[in-house]
Amino acid sequence: MVEKIALIKEQVLEAIENASSLNIIAGGSKEFLGRKITGTPLEMGRYQGIINYEPSELFITVKAGTLLGEIIQVLAERGQMLAFEPPQFTEKTTVGGVVATGLSGPRRAYTGSVRDYVLGIHCINGLGQDLSFGGQVMKNVAGYDLSRVMTGSYGTLGVILDVTFKVMPIPEFELTCFCELSRKDALTKMYELSCKPFPVSASCYDGEKLYLRISGYRDTVKTILTGIGFEEYLNGDQFWRNLRDFRSSFFNTDKNIWRLSLPVTAKPEIGDDQYLIDWGGAQYWIKSDRPANEFFKMAEELGGNATLFKGTGHNENIFQPLQEDMMIIQQGLKRAFDPHSVLNPGKMYAAI
Amino acid sequence: MQFDDLTKLLPAEAILLSEESRRVYECDALSAHRVIPGCVVLPDTIKQVQDVLAYCHSNDIPVVARGAGTGLSGGAMPHAEGVLLNLAKFDQIISLDPLQKIARVQPGVRNLAISDAARPHGLYYAPDPSSQIACTIGGNVAENSGGVHCLKYGLTVHNILQIKVVTITGNLITIGSHALDSPGYDLLALFTGSEGMLGVIVEVTVKLLPIPPFNKVLLAAFDNIENAGEGVAGIIANGIIPAGLEMMDKAGIRAVEGFVHAGYPVDAEAILLCELDGTEDEVNNGLNQVKNLLSGYGATQVRIAKDEAESKLFWAGRKAAFPAVGRISPDYYCMDGTIPRKHLAKVLTGINELSIKHKLAVVNVFHAGDGNLHPLILYDVAKPGELERAERFGSEILELCIEMGGTITGEHGVGVEKIREMCIQFSEDELEQFHAVKAVFDNKGLLNPGKAVPTLNRCAEFGAMHIHKGKDKFPELERF
Ligand SMILES: Cc1cc2nc3c(=O)[nH]c(=O)nc-3n(C[C@H](O)[C@H](O)[C@H](O)COP(=O)(O)OP(=O)(O)OC[C@H]3O[C@@H](n4cnc5c(N)ncnc54)[C@H](O)[C@@H]3O)c2cc1C
């Protein structure tokens, strides 16, 4: 695969030479995310394979084009998982896409996000340089933590070649339960539970029912179910998978889908729009055709951020607009990695 | 005098100029490296920090931030012509919200003080460096500190939500938020572990966790290190993530037993301490499982603590490891490499060979769960040449860690101490990438100069004899 790396370097150098830019593409499953950009396609999809997996060292190193589904399966065979439960929009979702977008699933609020589990990244920056940051060990403070900085950067800082994740054991037992509650009571319940040493691993309120997933040792989980007075929900795995992959019927819509990431006790103005609350109250999904600025303004006032997750007719701000001084820093970082603006320019913000 | 105008920015008692008062700050816990700072300031408002930094920026004065000075890599070592910015007066917990499970604290708040304040709510702050009674949260963020519980609960970077930072130009910026993620590049991750090189942290919002209802410790003895290492791998491969998993070698066991009488078996080659937490049933079942596993890996003895008192006693030995070593040797030098655990036996054998080569004894304590080694090299600074030998020995241990696919520092940071080894771990292009990032925040290089990331010239200076991955690393630079 040395040739593939050489090829990528060449493409980057060529783009610099021609003052053009690249559009990094892997599975294409997340194409709807982020701002629309042009640029010569740089195909990562065939850069596939597991480089190193050591279950007892709790890490896996994989090439960016490897299918997420394949990794989940390989890990599961050894009783392990990616604890941030990454969305798998289609079977084409790749690891590179997971890291570039930094998106995590329902377990995130309880076990951490993509960047929390990234141990190291091997990449090509915008100068065509082959760089490695972090490594395969869990504790590593040599140099700035640039592999975490690249996570969620939408390919604008470097072409990700390989990633090392920390992996975790799959809980011995999980079950899902639910209870009909008002929004206020559901939120209160979520806060209450999260303040106790109570092994919730996902929680979602759909406007009528609060769903909880409890994970841990079988006996403990069963005892807890008896204790909290919720009813067991038999199709739990399917429920969380649909939520994770945006296949719940809620996501089947022509309206814009907004994602609000908020302090857990914030109470956004939802009005008559349909919504889902995830992450114990820290993430709201809202279906709405209200203007973008209403969401950005509301999220900012509440101390969080909004993203136009899926929608049409709008390519200005997909992500929460940044304050001027913050944007200057972000532009500085972009220049530090990609001074000629070759890598996915404009994918996140017009200016980076 | 270039510091004179500081009196216009700060009250007189917040500026230390006499040599006597400055000398107090000449080093951190890496006491072999000492420099008396040009001046020391002790601001107590964010506005004062902004003014001091803006002043230093306009006048090209270096600035070194300092928390409690417990750092072990010389990160807070002062600059002779610079300002030492002491954050000790920022010692207030601003707010604690038990519902959101967060605390907003000033940077000079001690690590343990946060957990003390959270305890009445059934909460605590998870990262627990052994220095937690003294070290500050600002220092913890700057070093991305860990602790014995970080295998399960993560490092500082996993346990904070937001920081407020004053840049070298005097701007106050907020990084992160009280939501679980923030738009744009992840500056929170960038600042965590950046060793005071990018900005001065003036506020931190930490996440709090519910206190586990129950925990208990198991002590296992082995008559060879390899078995102990395999035991650790076995526990983890079986899906158990202990709250703490520590190892100690024979020299460590003996030093500790002579000091605290924790009941460690002094004839063992290695011991493991394994703490589980959760509900009482989970812990007891889990420990029985661990006990069987470790017996299967050849443990000569496995003892599950009878009660809380015995759990505490087992831990007391581990926690007293450093002072215990301080008792048997006039000085010791604490190293901090991380390795893939499977190479443990090889690395410990290597360390013992180096010990013979350098004629200095070594004691090994080890965060076994996450592969973080702390060899303690025993020496006597009063004996000519011993400090130099200890440093050489330490450096060779770190090179061994790199060779095994590990890293030169797991939690103590690079500081001034491991500058040379950075040239071995990273390529020229990688170091240049670090410098480019640094320049975004501090293009004059005034924040903590000479620390954390070596210049290519320094690497050339060090590296005359270093050949990396079969090729000379800095062929275009002049050799000295
Ligand atoms: C006995 C002992 C045991 C230890 N055990 C552990 C352990 O288990 N795990 C571990 O990780 N570490 C451990 N340490 C190391 C040390 O305690 C940590 O690195 C700690 O985080 C340093 O905190 P401090 O407040 O003392 O920082 P200092 O030593 O004062 O400073 C450390 C670095 O942070 C920078 N800094 C400090 N405050 C700020 C700020 N507000 N803004 C920007 N930069 C700042 C300084 O410039 C310096 O580079 C131990 C040290 C000792 C002496």
Side-chain angles (χ1 to χ4, degrees):
Chain A
M1 276 299 170
V2 177
E3 312 90 80
K4 175 67 182 174
I5 297 176
L7 219 62
I8 295 171
K9 273 191 203 177
E10 212 169 280
Q11 266 193 282
V12 171
L13 294 177
E14 227 169 76
I16 298 175
E17 179 88 33
N18 303 336
S20 60
S21 64
L22 300 173
N23 182 6
I24 309 166
I25 299 168
S29 79
K30 299 194 177 71
E31 235 194 296
F32 64 91
L33 273 170
R35 300 174 76 251
K36 300 286 165 278
I37 56 168
T38 54
T40 317
L42 192 164
E43 265 295 341
M44 292 301 295
R46 287 213 293 276
Y47 188 64
Q48 292 190 341
I50 293 172
I51 298 173
N52 197 353
Y53 171 36
E54 305 233 13
S56 70
E57 303 272 342
L58 294 179
F59 80 79
I60 187 166
T61 305
V62 294
K63 291 180 185 164
T66 314
L67 297 180
L68 177 61
E70 183 189 333
I71 292 174
I72 290 176
Q73 196 189 330
V74 167
L75 292 174
E77 280 162 17
R78 307 299 294 266
Q80 296 184 330
M81 64 176 184
L82 295 172
F84 48 92
E85 210 174 3
Q88 206 178 338
F89 297 106
T90 72
E91 68 278 7
K92 288 200 184 124
T93 299
T94 65
V95 170
V98 168
V99 175
T101 56
L103 291 176
S104 311
R107 209 181 290 272
R108 189 260 174 269
Y110 306 93
T111 49
S113 65
V114 185
R115 72 87 128 136
D116 289 334
Y117 289 90
V118 168
L119 297 179
I121 279 183
H122 174 200
C123 67
I124 305 281
N125 69 3
L127 290 168
Q129 294 168 328
D130 188 330
L131 310 172
S132 290
F133 301 108
Q136 298 182 326
V137 289
M138 268 172 251
K139 276 165 104 179
N140 185 355
V141 292
Y144 304 123
D145 197 347
L146 299 187
S147 45
R148 292 205 165 95
V149 175
M150 295 188 77
T151 307
S153 67
Y154 280 83
T156 60
L157 299 179
V159 182
I160 299 169
L161 299 174
D162 331 314
V163 188
T164 301
F165 295 109
K166 178 181 179 182
V167 298
M168 293 297 268
I170 296 173
E172 180 186 282
F173 185 69
E174 296 195 317
L175 66 71
T176 300
C177 55
F178 70 99
C179 181
E180 267 182 49
L181 290 170
S182 69
R183 190 194 325 170
K184 185 163 165 287
D185 290 345
L187 285 168
T188 309
K189 191 82 198 166
M190 286 194 260
Y191 307 151
E192 259 176 35
L193 290 175
S194 83
C195 292
K196 290 193 193 126
F198 185 93
V200 182
S201 68
S203 57
C204 171
Y205 180 67
D206 67 0
E208 287 171 10
K209 297 191 192 80
L210 172 62
Y211 295 84
L212 299 175
R213 182 174 61 194
I214 312 172
S215 308
Y217 289 104
R218 183 181 294 271
D219 294 347
T220 318
V221 172
K222 292 263 183 197
T223 316
I224 285 170
L225 178 66
T226 334
I228 59 167
F230 276 45
E231 200 172 319
E232 183 163 357
Y233 183 82
L234 291 175
N235 217 352
D237 284 353
Q238 185 78 37
F239 177 87
W240 299 110
R241 208 172 319 125
N242 285 343
L243 179 64
R244 180 194 78 186
D245 299 342
F246 308 96
R247 295 209 196 119
S248 313
S249 57
F250 174 87
F251 295 101
N252 191 359
T253 174
D254 293 333
K255 290 193 169 165
N256 285 338
I257 299 180
W258 285 88
R259 170 184 180 269
L260 268 61
S261 174
L262 301 173
V264 64
T265 48
K267 306 244 165 28
E269 201 51 61
I270 300 175
D272 293 333
D273 291 332
Q274 270 189 304
Y275 67 96
L276 270 185
I277 306 176
D278 195 359
W279 292 2
Q283 177 170 260
Y284 283 71
W285 297 99
I286 301 178
K287 285 197 278 203
S288 175
D289 288 327
R290 281 192 276 162
N293 284 338
E294 274 188 35
F295 286 98
F296 291 134
K297 187 160 168 281
M298 174 163 71
E300 188 181 330
E301 283 168 4
L302 292 169
N305 68 87
T307 308
L308 175 57
F309 198 73
K310 208 169 179 178
T312 45
H314 187 77
N315 200 30
E316 223 13 76
N317 284 315
I318 297 287
F319 299 98
Q320 183 79 28
L322 300 174
Q323 308 275 347
E324 198 188 329
D325 54 352
M326 183 51 74
M327 186 46 101
I328 291 171
I329 294 175
Q330 305 268 329
Q331 285 174 298
L333 272 178
K334 169 73 173 172
R335 271 197 302 276
F337 283 88
D338 180 21
H340 305 286
S341 214
V342 184
L343 307 174
N344 277 3
K347 186 79 189 168
M348 267 208 292
Y349 293 96
I352 55 175
Chain B
M1 178 64 182
Q2 60 174 344
F3 302 121
D4 286 354
D5 283 343
L6 285 173
T7 52
K8 294 182 191 147
L9 309 174
L10 295 168
E13 67 275 10
I15 309 174
L16 309 180
L17 288 167
S18 76
E19 187 182 327
E20 196 190 3
S21 57
R22 285 180 289 133
R23 186 183 293 279
V24 174
Y25 299 96
E26 67 181 347
C27 65
D28 61 9
L30 183 72
S31 54
H33 295 255
R34 293 168 197 259
V35 174
I36 298 178
C39 123
V40 179
V41 298
L42 292 113
D44 62 5
T45 66
I46 291 178
K47 172 77 170 56
Q48 288 172 356
V49 175
Q50 290 179 278
D51 290 347
V52 168
L53 287 175
Y55 175 81
C56 290
H57 184 246
S58 318
N59 294 284
D60 293 333
I61 302 172
V63 182
V64 177
R66 180 182 172 104
T70 67
L72 285 166
S73 56
M77 187 188 82
H79 191 285
E81 280 93 49
V83 165
L84 184 85
L85 181 64
N86 186 335
L87 293 142
K89 287 191 183 166
F90 288 88
D91 61 354
Q92 297 300 306
I93 294 179
I94 302 165
S95 62
L96 192 153
D97 181 342
L99 218 49
Q100 280 194 74
K101 292 188 295 171
I102 59 173
R104 267 178 67 206
V105 304
Q106 292 187 324
V109 170
R110 288 173 306 110
N111 173 296
L112 189 59
I114 304 175
S115 287
D116 285 344
R119 194 167 302 117
H121 305 284
L123 302 170
Y124 76 116
Y125 175 62
D128 57 345
S130 313
S131 51
Q132 69 179 158
I133 48 169
C135 65
T136 68
I137 188 71
N140 291 172
V141 175
E143 299 286 12
N144 191 16
S145 297
V148 293
H149 291 105
C150 61
L151 174 64
K152 183 162 178 184
Y153 295 104
L155 305 157
T156 305
V157 70
H158 302 108
N159 288 281
I160 59 176
L161 278 176
Q162 175 185 289
I163 55 176
K164 289 189 180 167
V165 170
V166 178
T167 63
I168 186 66
T169 54
N171 274 346
L172 177 65
I173 53 172
T174 300
I175 289 174
S177 70
H178 290 178
L180 290 178
D181 46 49
S182 295
Y185 301 134
D186 194 336
L187 300 184
L188 192 60
L190 177 60
F191 267 74
T192 311
S194 65
E195 304 195 21
M197 301 282 290
L198 306 179
V200 174
I201 300 155
V202 291
E203 189 187 301
V204 183
T205 301
V206 301
K207 295 184 201 168
L208 303 173
L209 295 181
I211 299 173
F214 190 76
N215 61 43
K216 206 187 249 188
V217 187
L218 162 156
L219 169 79
F222 291 86
D223 57 12
N224 77 59
I225 294 262
E226 251 145 272
N227 289 358
E230 280 168 18
V232 170
I235 292 173
I236 288 172
N238 271 280
I240 299 169
I241 302 291
L245 188 54
E246 297 284 313
M247 193 191 288
M248 203 183 278
D249 72 356
K250 189 171 200 162
I253 300 167
R254 296 202 162 166
V256 162
E257 263 312 287
F259 185 45
V260 288
H261 313 294
Y264 293 174
V266 287
D267 50 349
E269 283 300 318
I271 58 163
L272 277 184
L273 290 178
C274 173
E275 177 186 295
L276 299 188
D277 64 8
T279 66
E280 193 166 344
D281 281 350
E282 279 169 11
V283 171
N284 287 329
N285 292 341
L287 283 179
N288 281 328
Q289 197 187 345
V290 172
K291 182 176 176 170
N292 291 337
L293 272 169
L294 293 180
S295 303
Y297 285 100
T300 50
Q301 193 193 115
V302 186
R303 279 155 53 196
I304 297 177
K306 288 191 298 290
D307 49 22
E308 209 184 318
E310 198 171 31
S311 278
K312 284 217 168 100
L313 187 65
F314 286 171
W315 269 126
R318 169 62 184 87
K319 288 189 174 156
F322 288 21
V325 168
R327 220 179 57 117
I328 59 166
S329 172
D331 299 284
Y332 66 88
Y333 182 30
C334 173
M335 306 310 297
D336 172 45
T338 306
I339 52 164
R341 256 184 292 96
K342 63 180 173 193
H343 297 313
L344 177 64
K346 224 188 291 175
V347 170
L348 290 184
T349 309
I351 292 177
N352 286 333
E353 282 162 11
L354 290 171
S355 165
I356 295 166
K357 171 178 159 194
H358 292 283
K359 300 193 187 66
L360 292 173
V362 64
V363 167
N364 282 295
V365 292
F366 183 43
H367 300 304
D370 42 39
N372 190 195
L373 293 167
H374 289 321
L376 304 173
I377 300 170
L378 314 192
Y379 70 100
D380 182 352
V381 78
K383 295 199 182 134
E386 282 214 350
L387 170 62
E388 291 68 27
R389 275 196 347 255
E391 291 188 330
R392 197 63 229 139
F393 184 176
S395 182
E396 286 174 23
I397 293 177
L398 299 184
E399 284 178 37
L400 186 59
C401 292
I402 301 175
E403 226 172 90
M404 295 293 148
T407 177
I408 57 173
T409 173
E411 57 183 11
H412 295 165
V414 173
V416 286
E417 183 200 21
K418 302 175 201 85
I419 275 286
R420 184 182 154 280
E421 291 76 12
M422 283 291 283
C423 309
I424 306 172
Q425 183 159 336
F426 292 100
S427 71
E428 182 181 352
D429 287 347
E430 287 155 359
L431 293 173
E432 286 286 35
Q433 183 67 74
F434 289 144
H435 288 299
V437 168
K438 160 85 169 169
V440 175
F441 296 90
D442 177 23
N443 65 356
K444 290 185 175 182
L446 295 172
L447 288 167
N448 226 355
K451 313 274 180 71
V453 185
T455 60
L456 298 186
N457 275 316
R458 280 198 80 184
C459 286
E461 229 175 283
F462 294 132
M465 61 286 177
H466 267 288
I467 308 287
H468 183 65
K469 292 175 192 156
K471 55 179 194 270
D472 198 348
K473 284 196 67 190
F474 301 98
E476 71 286 10
L477 292 176
E478 217 180 314
R479 302 286 127 162
F480 302 93

